[in-house]
Every structure is written in C-alpha cells, then in structure tokens.
Amino acid sequence: ADSVTKIRDRCADNQKRSVNTGSNLSALRNILVCIVSQPRNKRPMTGPAVLLLALLGSSLGFHSFIYFVSVGFAASVALTTAVALFVYNLIIKESQIPVLTNLHTILALIWSLRLILFLLHREYVTWPSFHDKLIQVNQDSVLASKFPVWITCGLFYCCLCMPCIYRMNHALEAVSTATASSMSSVTTQQWGPVGITGIHLQIIGLSIETISDAQKQSFKNAPNNVNRERWCHVGLWKVCSHPNYLGECLFWLGTYLGGIGGQQHWHQYFISGIGLAGILAVVRGLYLALLRKQMLHYGHEEEFSHFSERVGFFGPKLFFRTSESLRRSSSIRRSGVQIGVSGIEEDLRRKSSQLDSGDDLDVSLSSQVQTTADVATATTSSTLEDRMNRMYVEQTLSAQQQHHLQQQQQHRSPTPPPALDEKGSSDDDAPNSFPFTDTEAHK
C-alpha cells in the first residue's frame, strides 16, 4: 500500500512538473508508468504490455512485407528490452536490479540492434538489388494478408522476450523483500548454474553470429564482385556449414535458460517454451532452404561436395570418408551416369526407329524420368553431385522428347532425336556439356 501511494504521488508530481516546465521526457515517463505499471502485484511489465510493444515493433512489416520477419523482428526485441530496462531501472527508483539480470536483457538489446544495422546495411549498401526485390514483394502483397502475419509475428516475438521480463519481475520481487546485507546472496541464489550457463550461451551465440555475418559479408563484397556468386568458405564457414544460424540458436537457448530462474508458474514455462521452439523451427526451415539453394548453385563443385561430407550444422562431423574414397566414389558415380546415359540414348534411338516405321508409340515423359532416376539411384546417388547429375539428365532428355513430339504433332517428317556424345551433350539447344566435365558451361 505504501509503494502504491508513493508511485501515485510521484505520477501526480511529475504531471504537474511537466505541465509547468513543458518537459517531454517527464511526460513520456508518466505515460510509461501509467500504461505498463501495475504496482498492486509489483510487476511493472506484464504479458499484454510486452505484446503491445512487440506488435508495435513488428508493424514495420506494413512498410515492407519481409520486414515482418526481418527488421520488424529485431525492432520488436529492441523495443521490448529497451522499455524494460528503462522502466525497471529508472522509473522504479526504489528497486536495485542485480547486474546479471540487467545483463541478461542488455544482451538481447545488443543482439537486436546489431541485427537491425546488419539488415539495413545489407539492403541499402552492399546488396541494392535485394532492396528492389523487397519492393516487388511488397507490391505483390495484399494489405488484408498482412494483418494475420502481423498478429502471428507479434505473439511469437512476445513469447521470445518473456524470459527477460520474467527474470526482471522476479528480481524486483526478491530485491523488495531483501535487506542490504543479504542482497548478494539473493542474487546468487536467483541465478544458479543454469542461469549463469544461459548468460554464457548468450555471449557465445552473439559472438559467433556477429563474426560469421561479418566474414561472409566481407567475402561477398570482394573487389570487382569476384566472390558474389561463389560459395563462402572462409573463417568460421570452414568449420561450420551455417555458423550464423548456429549462433542464433545458441543465443536464444541462452536467453531461455537465463529466464528459467524467474519463472514460477506453469504457464510461464509454456510461453517461454513456445518462443524457444518457434525460433528453433524457423532456423531449421531457413537452414534447409539455404541448403537446397546451395545444392543447386554449388552442388556440381567437387570442393563443396567434399565439404558437405566433412562438415555439418554443428561443426566437423566425427565420421566421414577420406579424400581418397571420395575421389574413388566420385569417379564411379561419373562412369555410372555416363553408362546410364548411353543406355538411354540407345532407347531413344530404338523409339525413333519405331516412329520412322509408322508404328504408334506413346512416349511418356514420366516413364522416361523414372528410368533416369532408377539409373542414377543404382549408381549410388547419395551426394549433392549425384542429385545435380540426375536433374541435368532429366531436363536434357525431357527437352529432347518434347521437341520430337512437337514435330510429330505438326505432321512433319519424323526425324530421330539428336544423338548424345560420350559427354552427354548434343548439337541442339541442350547444354553444351555434362556438369562434371565443364563447370563453367553448366553454370
């Protein structure tokens, strides 16, 4: 009751002072106190207040649709953590929040500010074409479709930030009941080994993510854009396939562990768990999408194939084949695919002779693709290079068959399809060479 009376009196005094002096800072302070404060249960920031801040930050997505999950994400975390630090440390002056509790929230604020600067610098400075793509995506989106995305993202970001708020509320309650002599023991009991481990994971994850992003940006922005289309394999990217995503997972895992000591009810564990599970699922989806993109762009490169055999998401793999076995299996796969192409070539010639003789023939692209897939599967298609070879064979043969069928449908004289040479190339519009014999032509 005394604390309620003091805070209300302070609100009234500050309101009078702001009217007399016209101080905008005091007015903002009073607004924050009256909106987010609930002194009756000693929890200045609750779930609804955090949700409003998260929705305010993610509303940047109405400017550009992709901002809902990029800049808006970082802005929501930055706004929530900054207001929390301001309210708990400046507005409620009777409280003395422990250093580790403030550090837990400050690290989240630093993470969000770094991400905002990185994303905006990449969009407007280092990758201007990406900004044009964002404009096109925003123009293609409908305003009505943005509201469900906005609400979903706001709820998700609120769950992510709640461990910091739970820790702040718990520290405020503990400090208000503790004496000055027992303050240090209360701080130690609040955190414990799990909370301290979470702080360390936050620092490690933030460091890994920052360094890996800087290394990749420096690699891609080499003079004359020589590395713009190349696969990044410098620094941390030598020992981990996606160190930036690994660092983000470690950071949010540390944020969750750091907030466990401040969670007292089952619904608090549930809300924080939703945030952690959601960010891990998002990172996993991004990782798989980028892995497929890398397979299409760099899958034909032998160096990338060796790297994917040796290194994974969490770093170097414990069990992998030696370089000699990789070269041996690569040569076996190449010869096997060439043998398969020779057999398919003979089959096409046989079908062409049937067309020349006037026999009816139902050429099925699906059956031909299935035959190609069976051949490639029989030649140990377990690596990225095999998948690229299968895709190349399927596309080449399908294009040849479609061209031959169009000639037949237009009542032209049937002509045999172009013959494939020993490298898998033809004289028509098909690619000039097989991917593992001429890398530049394939690219």
Side-chain angles (χ1 to χ4, degrees):
D2 294 335
S3 62
V4 173
T5 304
K6 290 180 181 179
I7 292 178
R8 289 178 178 175
D9 293 338
R10 189 182 303 109
C11 285
D13 295 338
N14 288 333
Q15 287 175 355
K16 294 179 181 178
R17 190 181 301 112
S18 62
V19 172
N20 295 330
T21 62
S23 174
N24 293 331
L25 181 61
S26 299
L28 176 62
R29 178 179 174 180
N30 289 317
I31 292 174
L32 289 174
V33 169
C34 296
I35 290 180
V36 303
S37 293
Q38 293 186 8
R40 61 180 179 275
N41 54 11
K42 297 182 181 181
R43 293 180 181 178
M45 291 188 65
T46 57
V50 176
L51 178 59
L52 289 176
L53 294 172
L55 289 173
L56 181 60
S58 60
S59 63
L60 292 175
F62 289 100
H63 171 70
S64 180
F65 189 80
I66 304 299
Y67 280 10
F68 280 124
V69 293
S70 59
V71 180
F73 173 28
S76 298
V77 178
L79 187 60
T80 302
T81 52
V83 171
L85 291 171
F86 181 77
V87 169
Y88 284 89
N89 292 277
L90 297 179
I91 290 184
I92 308 178
K93 292 186 177 180
E94 290 84 358
S95 65
Q96 186 179 353
I97 303 298
V99 176
L100 288 179
T101 303
N102 280 327
L103 180 62
H104 181 235
T105 305
I106 290 173
L107 288 173
L109 177 61
I110 295 175
W111 176 91
S112 59
L113 294 178
R114 185 209 71 87
L115 184 59
I116 291 175
L117 295 177
F118 171 76
L119 293 175
L120 294 180
H121 184 268
R122 183 184 66 174
E123 178 182 348
Y124 290 98
V125 179
T126 62
W127 197 1
S129 60
F130 181 67
H131 177 67
D132 298 334
K133 294 180 181 179
L134 295 185
I135 294 177
Q136 184 62 38
V137 171
N138 189 62
Q139 291 176 353
D140 296 339
S141 61
V142 183
L143 180 61
S145 64
K146 293 185 177 182
F147 285 95
V149 179
W150 177 46
I151 299 299
T152 303
C153 291
L155 290 171
F156 172 48
Y157 304 153
C158 174
C159 294
L160 272 178
C161 296
M162 286 310 295
C164 296
I165 306 304
Y166 292 148
R167 173 60 72 177
M168 284 283 192
N169 287 331
H170 184 67
L172 181 61
E173 294 175 359
V175 168
S176 61
T177 57
T179 59
S181 58
S182 61
M183 185 66 65
S184 59
S185 61
V186 168
T187 303
T188 305
Q189 293 175 1
Q190 278 186 345
W191 281 90
V194 176
I196 296 177
T197 301
I199 291 289
H200 285 86
L201 285 178
Q202 281 184 297
I203 297 174
I204 294 173
L206 179 60
S207 302
I208 292 176
E209 188 174 0
T210 303
I211 295 173
S212 59
D213 283 340
Q215 289 175 344
K216 186 174 183 179
Q217 188 175 23
S218 177
F219 178 83
K220 292 292 185 178
N221 295 332
N224 300 325
N225 293 328
V226 294
N227 295 331
R228 175 61 65 181
E229 300 299 332
R230 293 184 59 191
W231 156 60
C232 180
H233 52 281
V234 297
L236 294 177
W237 298 86
K238 284 184 177 180
V239 296
C240 180
S241 61
H242 299 83
N244 52 347
Y245 292 159
L246 177 61
E248 184 161 357
C249 290
L250 292 177
F251 177 83
W252 287 111
L253 177 61
T255 303
Y256 174 79
L257 293 178
I260 283 183
Q263 301 170 13
Q264 302 174 345
H265 304 284
W266 68 269
H267 69 275
Q268 297 177 345
Y269 289 97
F270 179 73
I271 292 174
S272 300
I274 289 178
L276 178 63
I279 193 64
L280 294 180
V282 169
V283 172
R284 181 179 181 274
L286 293 173
Y287 162 71
L288 294 177
L290 187 56
L291 188 63
R292 288 191 293 267
K293 183 178 179 180
Q294 288 180 337
M295 182 188 69
L296 293 176
H297 287 179
Y298 317 115
H300 59 281
E301 297 183 10
E302 187 174 0
E303 184 180 3
F304 181 80
S305 179
H306 290 184
F307 176 81
S308 62
E309 292 282 348
R310 297 172 179 270
V311 179
F313 182 79
F314 296 101
K317 298 179 181 178
L318 297 179
F319 304 98
F320 54 84
R321 293 179 291 180
T322 62
S323 58
E324 182 64 28
S325 64
L326 285 172
R327 287 193 294 268
R328 190 184 306 113
S329 63
S330 178
S331 61
I332 292 175
R333 291 194 301 270
R334 294 177 184 179
S335 60
V337 174
Q338 290 178 354
I339 293 173
V341 170
S342 300
I344 295 173
E345 177 188 356
E346 293 296 330
D347 184 58
L348 287 176
R349 289 175 179 174
R350 178 180 57 82
K351 294 179 180 180
S352 176
S353 62
Q354 293 179 2
L355 288 174
D356 292 337
S357 61
D359 297 338
D360 293 335
L361 178 64
D362 182 17
V363 181
S364 174
L365 294 177
S366 60
S367 62
Q368 186 64 51
V369 171
Q370 182 63 36
T371 303
T372 307
D374 294 339
V375 171
T377 304
T379 56
T380 319
S381 60
S382 60
T383 63
L384 299 175
E385 182 182 358
D386 293 328
R387 299 176 185 176
M388 292 297 298
N389 293 336
R390 289 176 60 188
M391 292 172 58
Y392 176 82
V393 173
E394 293 171 7
Q395 293 175 359
T396 303
L397 295 177
S398 298
Q400 293 173 353
Q401 286 183 340
Q402 290 177 356
H403 178 68
H404 196 69
L405 286 177
Q406 288 177 359
Q407 290 183 345
Q408 183 188 12
Q409 292 175 358
Q410 294 174 0
H411 303 288
R412 296 180 180 177
S413 58
T415 58
L420 299 173
D421 58 17
E422 60 181 2
K423 293 183 179 181
S425 63
S426 66
D427 296 331
D428 281 352
D429 296 333
N432 295 328
S433 61
F434 220 58
F436 45 68
T437 58
D438 192 346
T439 302
E440 294 300 324
H442 175 71
K443 292 173 66 175

